[in-house]
Amino acid sequence: MAFRYINPGYGVWLNDSAVSTIENNFTYNPDHGISFTKTATSITDENKIVVSQPFTTDIYVKFNMYVGNYFPTGFYLGAKSTNSTKLEYSCMGLHMRSGYVYLFAGLPDYVTGAKIITLSSPGIEKNSLNKIQFHIHRGEDAASSFGEITINETTTTKQFTEDNYYRTFSDEKAFFILFPASDSYRPYISELIVSDESISSREKIIALPISGIQTDMTAGENGIYIANAADQILLQTPDIAALSEEYGADSKVTGISLVGNPAYKTGTALTTSTAFSKADSVITEHGTCDLSDDTDAVIQDGWSLSDTTLADLQNMQFGWKAGE
């Protein structure tokens, strides 16, 4: 099953105290008013976002980026290749530097063929919200491989030009974000969707209201639920009435992002939590997240849906199952 990472702009979902969430700022994010950025860092301080399976042939990314007085310099977003453990030497994705925008093919920028696309006049606007989307397809050779990037509705597509130093996606179940080392150049990121299958330019992130909860966990304070035995569950039923009126009951649902915030362990008996969904009587397990001792930690899992509408969600439930 294909995965979908969905984040409207919550920095806490990256589980890094240096990543901050900006709330109630509809300039940075007109849709939800939230975005994230990272304070001054070094070139090695990558944020690793774990997903349920590794990239194999394709990476698709869609996000909004608010840029201030300066173009981002040293910003990366993508997967890693088999070339190196450092994102700057192995990015299969986007790189921004000094007003330039690149798509990289998993090699350092000084290697011939590393840059699939170079945009010297990329269309990034200062003091503005920029909509960015890219796709890299890694085929069996350069002739069957290509990159495509859209910046504020202008699209550029190019085939790979070099077979030398051929690189494929690494086997890490993750993608990475590397922010600029200077606060002056840092952007604000929101409405982030990452997948290994196609993302429509019209796709939007929408929060699902909840109409009910089914659980055998114990209700604690402040909405927290406590599991004390393996296989205990917490299931939520979405309330789609208002969303159906706004978007239409036949609107397509392309993916689900399930978040546990906070989610942590208090001992050694229960150390994982598995995302699962229930459609009518059919239960499907998704990704399993390891729990930490950090009481501010967040877990997240996401997956794609096909042939699913808003109306279908009224017969579905989503939740977590405690595990050893």
Side-chain angles (χ1 to χ4, degrees):
M1 178 180 290
F3 75 84
R4 239 169 180 72
Y5 175 86
I6 301 169
N7 187 341
Y10 290 105
V12 67
W13 293 7
L14 276 64
N15 285 313
D16 180 349
S17 60
V19 178
S20 57
T21 301
I22 292 81
E23 300 184 71
N24 299 315
N25 188 318
F26 289 87
T27 299
Y28 292 172
N29 182 353
D31 292 327
H32 293 101
I34 52 174
S35 59
F36 64 82
T37 191
K38 189 172 185 177
T39 53
T41 182
S42 74
I43 196 68
T44 60
D45 291 339
E46 304 164 352
N47 283 106
K48 178 179 180 178
I49 293 89
V50 177
V51 292
S52 59
Q53 61 195 45
F55 298 92
T56 54
T57 59
D58 293 88
I59 180 171
Y60 295 83
V61 179
K62 182 176 183 286
F63 65 103
N64 292 345
M65 169 186 282
Y66 184 88
V67 173
N69 293 322
Y70 302 97
F71 291 118
T73 291
F75 177 82
Y76 292 80
L77 200 167
K80 290 183 180 180
S81 75
T82 53
N83 184 64
S84 171
T85 58
K86 288 187 177 182
L87 187 63
E88 60 176 316
Y89 297 128
S90 65
C91 184
M92 298 282 278
L94 178 78
H95 174 44
M96 293 185 175
R97 184 178 69 232
S98 303
Y100 285 76
V101 175
Y102 307 93
L103 280 191
F104 274 10
L107 293 161
D109 61 2
Y110 56 80
V111 175
T112 302
K115 302 180 184 72
I116 311 166
I117 294 175
T118 299
L119 300 178
S120 57
S121 300
I124 298 290
E125 299 179 6
K126 294 179 182 178
N127 298 304
S128 297
L129 186 74
N130 297 272
K131 297 180 180 296
I132 300 171
Q133 189 164 354
F134 70 84
H135 169 211
I136 295 175
H137 172 71
R138 199 47 155 150
E140 296 182 354
D141 51 26
S144 60
S145 304
F146 64 88
E148 180 177 87
I149 185 167
T150 301
I151 299 177
N152 296 327
E153 299 184 355
T154 298
T155 301
T156 304
T157 305
K158 285 188 179 180
Q159 180 182 317
F160 283 25
T161 57
E162 293 286 337
D163 285 317
N164 295 338
Y165 307 104
Y166 186 85
R167 291 294 179 267
T168 56
F169 287 99
S170 78
D171 59 2
E172 289 197 67
K173 297 179 179 180
F175 69 92
F176 300 80
I177 303 175
L178 181 59
F179 278 85
S182 169
D183 287 344
S184 298
Y185 298 96
R186 64 179 179 174
Y188 297 85
I189 307 301
S190 63
E191 305 303 303
L192 174 62
I193 305 173
V194 181
S195 184
D196 54 357
E197 69 174 14
S198 181
I199 301 171
S200 168
S201 60
R202 298 182 299 167
E203 195 161 322
K204 294 184 64 174
I205 299 174
I206 299 172
L208 286 177
I210 300 303
S211 64
I213 294 175
Q214 175 188 338
T215 186
D216 52 5
M217 297 182 187
T218 301
E221 296 180 350
N222 302 319
I224 290 179
Y225 284 83
I226 303 165
N228 56 22
D231 297 328
Q232 287 185 331
I233 65 166
L234 172 67
L235 272 174
Q236 295 178 315
T237 303
D239 182 356
I240 63 153
L243 294 178
S244 295
E245 288 186 11
E246 183 175 358
Y247 297 102
D250 293 332
S251 293
K252 185 177 180 180
V253 180
T254 58
I256 292 291
S257 179
L258 194 62
V259 179
N261 182 19
Y264 56 91
K265 63 183 179 180
T266 57
T268 59
L270 302 177
T271 60
T272 66
S273 189
T274 298
F276 73 108
S277 57
K278 184 177 180 181
D280 295 321
S281 60
V282 179
I283 295 176
T284 303
E285 291 192 0
H286 302 281
T288 296
C289 301
D290 293 327
L291 299 175
S292 76
D293 300 320
D294 182 359
T295 57
D296 293 323
V298 176
I299 57 173
Q300 181 181 32
D301 189 52
W303 58 92
S304 295
L305 294 173
S306 60
D307 301 321
T308 303
T309 66
L310 270 177
D312 294 329
L313 293 185
Q314 63 188 342
N315 298 316
M316 301 178 72
Q317 294 174 295
F318 307 97
W320 296 99
K321 181 173 72 171
E324 297 175 345

